[in-house]
Amino acid sequence: MISKILLKNFVLFKLFKWDKINNLNVIIGENDTGKTNLLKLLYSTSRAWSIYSSDKKNNKEKPFNETLTDKIFDTFQPRANGIGDLVSIKSRDKLEAEIVYFADTNNRQQIQFRFSRKSKKITDTNEFIEPCKDENFNSIFIPPKEVLTAFEAILSTRSEEKWMYGFDDTYKDLIDLLLIDTIQGKQKANLPSVVSSLEALMKGRISQSRGKEKFIFSRKGNEKYSMSMTAEGIKRLGIYITLINNRQLHPGSILFLDEPEAELHPKAIRVLADMIFNFSKAGIQVFVSTHNYFLLKQLELNARKEKTEVQCCSLKNADGLVTADFSDLQNGMPDNPIVDVALDIFDEDIAID
C-alpha cells in the first residue's frame, strides 16, 4: 500500500505532497490538471517494484533503475526527449519523486528517484530497494477505454517485432492479466457480493472462452454474444468480474481507476461507487480519478454512512502549475468544479421557470 507521495517538477506539478493516504482515494479536477499523469506515475513505480521483486526471487539481476526506466517509458510513451519529457518545462531542476510503501516498519519501503529533461534513463535512485515482502502486493491500472473488443489489435502494437505508439502499458498489462485463467473456489470477503451485484446489473456475465473469441457475454437463457455485440458499459464492468474471478484483484492489490464511469448509465455508476467502496473494505487500495458528479456524490454518501475516511485530492491548474487541496469525503463534499457545474445548471433551470 502507498502511504506517502512527494513529487517535484513532475509535468504540471512544481510540488505535490500527499501525506494522508487511505485505502480509498479520489482525485478530481478539470481537464489538464494532471490526474492521469499522477495515476500513471504511481502505477509505473508500483509495477516496476513488483517486477523487480519477482526478478529477484527468480535470480534475475536486472537493476531496479533499469526496470523503472522501462516501465515509466512504456507507460507514458514520451516522444521527443524520452522520459525527460516528464520533467516540468517551467523548471530547470530535476524531477524528483519519493513514494513510500507500507506504513509499518517491517515492510516499509521508500522508493526515490530523479532525472533531468536530458535523461534517457534513470540512474539516480535510492541505494537500497528491497524486494517486496508482501506476496499479495500487485498493481492494476484500468484505463478509460475498454480493452476486451480490441485486445488482439492492442497486443499486436506491443510485440517485440512491431512496437508502435498508441496503446501504452496500462492497456497491455491489463490484457495480460485478463487472459489469466479463472480459478474456482471461495473468494475473499466483500468480493463475492461485488460480483453478484455487477452480474445482476448486467443481467448476465462475461466469461473467458476457449474458442477463437477469448471473451463471451452470456445472458440468462444461455444467449451468447461476442464482445463486438456487447454494450460498452457491460464490457467495462466485466473487466472487474474477470479480475476477481482469476484472482488478480485481491486484498493487497493497488487498483488505479482512470475515469471508470465512462460509458456507464448513472444507475450503473452508483453500483460502481458501491463496488469501489467494497474493494477498499476488502483490503484493496484504490486510487480513482473522476469528473462525474454521480460517482463522487455516491462515494461521499458511502463515506458518511459507513463513517469511513475517504481522501479526496482536488487538483487546480493556475497558469500552467497545478496545486492540490485535500479533504475527507466523510465530512461532506468539498468545493470543486464538479459540484459548481451541477449548481450552475440548477440555477439556470430555476431562472428559466
Side-chain angles (χ1 to χ4, degrees):
M1 303 294 110
I2 296 173
S3 61
K4 179 182 176 181
I5 304 164
L6 176 62
L7 305 175
K8 296 179 182 179
N9 305 314
F10 169 57
V11 195
L12 299 177
F13 297 94
K14 177 67 176 176
L15 175 65
F16 178 84
K17 187 176 182 180
W18 195 349
D19 287 329
K20 201 171 185 180
I21 301 175
N22 293 329
N23 259 23
L24 178 50
N25 309 277
V26 185
I27 303 171
I28 60 175
E30 296 183 24
N31 293 328
D32 199 29
T33 53
K35 297 185 300 300
T36 298
N37 284 333
L38 179 58
L39 289 181
K40 282 187 172 183
L41 188 68
L42 296 177
Y43 170 72
S44 53
T45 306
S46 303
R47 183 70 185 135
W49 191 32
S50 292
I51 295 170
Y52 173 76
S53 300
S54 176
D55 286 348
K56 276 287 188 181
K57 291 175 184 177
N58 293 310
N59 297 316
K60 295 181 180 179
E61 296 300 323
K62 188 173 182 177
F64 175 73
N65 66 296
E66 292 183 14
T67 300
L68 180 61
T69 298
D70 291 343
K71 182 50 67 174
I72 288 178
F73 183 89
D74 289 341
T75 299
F76 284 91
Q77 293 192 343
R79 300 249 181 164
N81 300 306
I83 62 171
D85 284 347
L86 303 185
V87 182
S88 173
I89 61 173
K90 292 182 174 292
S91 174
R92 295 182 179 180
D93 297 325
K94 292 182 177 181
L95 181 156
E96 297 184 31
E98 177 185 330
I99 302 171
V100 180
Y101 295 86
F102 304 107
D104 64 280
T105 55
N106 291 329
N107 291 323
R108 188 177 186 273
Q109 174 65 62
Q110 183 182 50
I111 294 179
Q112 296 174 305
F113 58 91
R114 62 180 191 164
F115 55 87
S116 70
R117 282 194 62 80
K118 294 181 179 180
S119 298
K120 298 299 181 183
K121 63 180 181 179
I122 300 169
T123 58
D124 190 354
T125 64
N126 50 312
E127 187 174 354
F128 298 106
I129 305 291
E130 296 288 341
C132 183
K133 298 176 183 177
D134 186 352
E135 294 184 356
N136 292 319
F137 177 82
N138 73 336
S139 54
I140 300 172
F141 192 111
I142 300 184
K145 299 176 184 176
E146 71 88 11
V147 300
L148 296 180
T149 303
F151 78 93
E152 289 183 335
I154 294 171
L155 290 180
S156 70
T157 69
R158 298 302 311 279
S159 66
E160 292 184 5
E161 299 80 17
K162 186 183 177 182
W163 201 101
M164 298 172 61
Y165 283 94
F167 291 102
D168 59 52
D169 261 17
T170 62
Y171 291 91
K172 177 184 178 297
D173 291 349
L174 178 58
I175 291 171
D176 288 342
L177 293 178
L178 290 170
L179 291 174
I180 295 173
D181 289 340
T182 56
I183 300 172
Q184 300 298 317
K186 189 176 181 181
Q187 296 158 340
K188 299 293 184 180
N190 292 313
L191 296 184
S193 62
V194 169
V195 172
S196 298
S197 64
L198 291 180
E199 290 185 346
L201 179 66
M202 295 161 57
K203 298 180 181 178
R205 66 186 305 173
I206 286 179
S207 57
Q208 295 171 328
S209 171
R210 298 293 182 184
K212 185 177 180 180
E213 295 251 11
K214 294 296 184 183
F215 300 96
I216 295 291
F217 177 59
S218 304
R219 288 193 182 277
K220 293 180 180 179
N222 206 31
E223 300 175 33
K224 297 185 184 297
Y225 300 89
S226 66
M227 287 297 98
S228 61
M229 297 177 62
T230 303
E232 296 294 310
I234 287 177
K235 286 183 281 193
R236 291 189 64 82
L237 296 176
I239 287 173
Y240 300 103
I241 296 176
T242 303
L243 292 172
I244 293 171
N245 287 339
N246 68 9
R247 304 306 194 268
Q248 299 308 300
L249 184 57
H250 52 68
S253 301
I254 305 179
L255 180 61
F256 301 93
L257 304 177
D258 193 8
E259 299 182 20
E261 70 277 0
E263 313 293 345
L264 296 181
H265 184 275
K267 178 181 178 181
I269 290 173
R270 296 191 68 184
V271 174
L272 174 72
D274 290 340
M275 176 199 74
I276 292 171
F277 207 82
N278 282 328
F279 282 159
S280 68
K281 289 169 63 177
I284 297 168
Q285 188 178 42
V286 184
F287 291 85
V288 53
S289 72
T290 184
H291 291 291
N292 189 272
Y293 175 80
F294 294 102
L295 180 58
L296 184 61
K297 185 63 181 178
Q298 188 63 52
L299 290 174
E300 181 233 354
L301 292 174
N302 288 350
R304 288 164 50 202
K305 181 171 60 178
E306 299 277 346
K307 294 181 172 57
T308 300
E309 188 172 352
V310 175
Q311 276 284 300
C312 181
C313 170
S314 182
L315 301 177
K316 298 177 182 178
N317 188 334
D319 299 323
L321 288 177
V322 172
T323 58
D325 294 320
F326 300 93
S327 59
D328 180 2
L329 290 184
Q330 185 182 191
N331 299 326
M333 190 80 81
D335 293 335
N336 66 84
I338 298 174
V339 175
D340 292 343
V341 172
L343 292 175
D344 287 345
I345 292 175
F346 178 77
D347 289 342
E348 184 177 346
D349 184 35
I350 295 298
I352 292 173
D353 291 339

